[in-house]
Amino acid sequence: MSLSELSITKRRLLGGIAATAVGVTLAASTGSTAFAVDLPTSDRDVDMEEALKPGALKEMALGDPNAPVKIIEYMSMTCPHCANFHEKTFDTIKTKYVDTGKVYFVLREFPFPQDTASLAAFMLARCTTEDKFFPFVSMFLKQQRSWAAPADGDVRGAMLQLSKLGGFTQESFDACLTNAKLAADVSAIRDRGAQEFGIQSTPSFLINGKAYSGDMSVDSMSALIDSLL
């Protein structure tokens, strides 16, 4: 199936996260108290072994590849829900699970067709050194409104100014954004996600053989990860 056959939009969430309340009992010094935690419901099953195979570009990942829980996030750099996840959830999950060897986290590009701003931002992230990739993505997501929808409408100019904070010059910025092969490879990651794993919205997560669409809070993602450990 070609990507053009998929009716996808940049900020569509497929109805959001369907959640069910589950009782989680936490031990306290004065006894046990039950708390309700929203556990996300998966959209479908996926072949995780196949999904974990790298695509057109080197995998951008954090953590131990042998960790018991494996998460692949498909995201767009202009998606506000993705920005919210990375601003409010990602750092806590990284500290709590990735850095402790419980989660292997892979970030994959999903710039929607015609969204040249998202594609360009991903290309710039790929043009940094590997150790700067995640910090660069985080910087762009936290400043999303300033470059994706600048008051003067000059998206490219706003991206250049932000990129300079990440070490780019005018020359390296222009060279990166005119790299046709890189643009094609980033787009190929998106196409594979759509065609092989059914990705239609951002953010979307593939977690231990299940697909989930929509933003997740720290509590929801923690509950899901804990249920897999």
Side-chain angles (χ1 to χ4, degrees):
M1 175 171 20
S2 68
L3 197 63
S4 61
E5 292 175 312
L6 298 174
S7 299
I8 56 180
T9 58
K10 180 170 58 182
R11 298 174 184 176
R12 178 173 159 218
L13 288 178
L14 298 181
I17 304 174
T20 181
V22 296
V24 177
T25 302
L26 304 176
S29 58
T30 57
S32 297
T33 305
F35 294 90
V37 178
D38 288 337
L39 189 64
T41 300
S42 68
D43 301 323
R44 60 193 178 280
D45 293 340
V46 294
D47 184 339
M48 202 66 186
E49 183 177 352
E50 190 65 26
L52 285 165
K53 294 178 180 178
L57 292 169
K58 179 179 175 60
E59 206 81 281
M60 292 292 107
L62 296 171
D64 182 358
N66 296 313
V69 178
K70 297 173 176 61
I71 299 175
I72 300 172
E73 179 194 6
Y74 282 91
M75 58 156 286
S76 165
M77 290 284 262
T78 56
C79 163
H81 306 289
C82 302
N84 188 70
F85 172 78
H86 278 267
E87 180 178 354
K88 297 181 179 179
T89 301
F90 177 75
D91 288 343
T92 299
I93 294 300
K94 179 180 179 296
T95 299
K96 188 176 179 181
Y97 296 104
V98 177
D99 295 345
T100 56
K102 297 175 182 177
V103 165
Y104 178 61
F105 192 97
V106 179
L107 190 154
R108 287 185 183 162
E109 298 93 336
F110 203 87
F112 286 82
Q114 311 307 317
D115 187 357
T116 55
S118 180
L119 175 60
F122 278 129
M123 290 172 66
L124 291 166
R126 285 285 185 173
C127 286
T128 64
T129 56
E130 189 171 341
D131 62 311
K132 291 182 179 179
F133 178 85
F134 278 91
F136 191 91
V137 168
S138 177
M139 176 179 71
F140 260 68
L141 288 175
K142 289 177 179 178
Q143 298 294 324
Q144 188 182 81
R145 290 185 180 180
S146 71
W147 63 268
D152 62 1
D154 184 6
V155 174
R156 186 183 179 90
M159 293 181 75
L160 172 60
Q161 295 309 310
L162 191 57
S163 296
K164 286 181 176 179
L165 297 178
F168 282 86
T169 64
Q170 177 76 63
E171 292 72 21
S172 60
F173 177 85
D174 291 340
C176 181
L177 295 187
T178 54
N179 186 332
K181 183 179 186 306
L182 178 59
D185 286 344
V186 170
S187 298
I189 292 174
R190 174 202 63 214
D191 293 347
R192 179 181 176 229
Q195 295 166 5
E196 295 186 22
F197 311 119
I199 304 301
Q200 298 185 43
S201 61
T202 56
S204 284
F205 303 91
L206 306 183
I207 305 177
N208 280 28
K210 301 286 184 179
Y212 302 83
S213 59
D215 190 6
M216 290 192 198
S217 67
V218 170
D219 288 344
S220 292
M221 182 164 273
S222 294
L224 178 57
I225 293 171
D226 288 342
S227 74
L228 298 170
L229 293 174

